[in-house]
Amino acid sequence: QVQLQESGPGLVKPSQTLSLTCTVSGGSITTSYYVWSWIRQPPGKGLEWMGVTAYDGSTYYSPSLKSRTSISRDTSKNQFSLQLSSVTPEDTAVYYCKARARYDYWGQGTQVTVSS
């Protein structure tokens, strides 16, 4: 059973970089059976897919966020991370990491507020 846990600061100031880490257990980020994504949900709005990384470290991002988004991996720790630069209050959301295989496996989500 794949389990995912987001971690990182809950408050980020405007213009800074939002950094979150997803720690994975029960499955390897280096196996082709899975792909690994970041999703967010602003308050009162729907889910927004941000980007994905696959077993070989390849990445793909939402066109609307590509210029500000980076997903990276630490295979020795079985973790993948999100960096979102130049944040504004519009980036306030609950951020989720997710694995896709036969089923989708979600982290519990972590609230990130962008505010000065």
Side-chain angles (χ1 to χ4, degrees):
Q1 178 67 41
V2 174
Q3 298 181 80
L4 304 95
Q5 177 67 62
E6 303 91 346
S7 61
L11 181 64
V12 183
K13 290 181 167 58
S15 82
Q16 293 184 339
T17 295
L18 182 160
S19 297
L20 297 172
T21 296
C22 185
T23 300
V24 176
S25 62
S28 174
I29 65 171
T30 62
T31 179
S32 62
Y33 188 70
Y34 304 97
V35 295
W36 312 90
S37 297
W38 286 98
I39 314 290
R40 69 179 184 179
Q41 186 169 34
K45 299 182 179 180
L47 297 169
E48 180 183 21
W49 180 79
M50 301 183 70
V52 62
T53 186
Y55 71 98
D56 59 354
S58 60
T59 54
Y60 189 79
Y61 304 107
S62 168
S64 64
L65 297 170
K66 182 177 181 179
S67 66
R68 299 194 292 131
T69 306
S70 179
I71 296 173
S72 57
R73 311 188 308 168
D74 186 337
T75 58
S76 69
K77 298 180 179 179
N78 210 35
Q79 296 176 330
F80 64 103
S81 298
L82 171 73
Q83 295 82 45
L84 182 67
S85 66
S86 303
V87 299
T88 75
E90 299 302 311
D91 295 309
T92 294
V94 176
Y95 286 76
Y96 300 91
C97 54
K98 181 176 72 71
R100 168 158 285 185
R102 181 180 179 184
Y103 307 102
D104 284 354
Y105 302 90
W106 292 75
Q108 66 181 3
T110 185
Q111 172 71 45
V112 180
T113 299
V114 179
S115 177
S116 60

